[in-house]
Amino acid sequence: MSGPSKLVKSFVWSTGIIGLGVLLMKYTVPTESQLRDSMSPELKRAAQSAERDGSANADANARILEIIKENAKSDRPVWDVRGFEKLDKKQS
């Protein structure tokens, strides 16, 4: 009879620990708006410029992904990568 009670006891403790972790995270981690409001003006400007640069990098990442897909379809060895030369010329 001690087997099922150990199982129930471990289930209750596990649920309690996980629930406590979720509650702690919910009440201690700030939302994005709270985080931005607490930043200095200089950091706010830096965050905005990083967001703008991130959208520009998305185009380059999409081109890199296309090149990787083309190389994956080929029957060449994995170390024989082609197509990045075009990418370097486009970025210049």
Side-chain angles (χ1 to χ4, degrees):
M1 281 274 184
S2 67
S5 66
K6 285 184 180 182
L7 183 64
V8 170
K9 189 175 180 181
S10 64
F11 179 74
V12 169
W13 276 100
S14 299
T15 304
I17 290 171
I18 292 170
L20 179 64
V22 169
L23 287 175
L24 281 173
M25 188 176 79
K26 182 179 179 184
Y27 289 110
T28 59
V29 175
T31 62
E32 188 171 341
S33 61
Q34 290 172 335
L35 184 65
R36 288 189 185 271
D37 292 341
S38 68
M39 286 182 179
S40 67
E42 183 179 319
L43 280 176
K44 285 180 185 178
R45 284 190 296 272
Q48 288 172 350
S49 68
E51 286 176 358
R52 285 191 300 263
D53 293 343
S55 63
N57 288 338
D59 296 333
N61 289 341
R63 287 194 302 256
I64 290 171
L65 186 60
E66 289 173 18
I67 292 169
I68 290 171
K69 286 180 180 179
E70 289 174 12
N71 281 302
K73 290 178 185 175
S74 73
D75 58 345
R76 294 187 310 269
V78 122
W79 56 84
D80 187 10
V81 179
R82 297 179 186 162
F84 283 104
E85 300 83 22
K86 295 183 289 187
L87 185 65
D88 290 336
K89 290 178 185 174
K90 286 182 183 178
Q91 288 180 350
S92 298

